[in-house]
Amino acid sequence: MRMKQIHVAKHAPEAHLVKGFLESNGIAAVVRGEFLTSGWGELPLDVCGVWIEDERQYDRAQALLVAFLNGDIAREMRSRNWRCPQCGEQQEGQFTACWKCGAPRPA
Ligand SMILES: [Zn+2]
């Protein structure tokens, strides 16, 4: 089996969150790069990678991860954004009327 990097986390807690999520879906994962050993001693890194142990699971792992990382944001966007029934323009949630043609937001 060959390992493959699946995610670059901004910090260790995120990396471990991703690792835990993947493992809960039956994908063995490890966190790497929390510390970089240099000649000057151990330097903590802000960036660390999450690797899956079997690269054959990469596609599935990535699909799961994208859904996981985007889920809350995407759900919120879908509930807030709306489309103008008159001109079809995409609107952001804070608008109560179409910025393009002025049609009111449908109830
Ligand atoms: Zn419109």
Side-chain angles (χ1 to χ4, degrees), residues 82 84-89 91 97-103:
W82 56 285
C84 176
Q86 189 161 304
C87 70
E89 198 64 42
Q91 311 290 325
C98 176
W99 56 265
K100 196 175 180 185
C101 72

Side-chain angles (χ1 to χ4, degrees), residues 72-89:
D72 289 338
I73 300 161
R75 245 196 319 278
E76 192 180 334
M77 293 291 284
R78 267 199 304 277
S79 68
R80 285 172 49 190
N81 288 6
W82 56 285
R83 190 176 286 278
C84 176
Q86 189 161 304
C87 70
E89 198 64 42

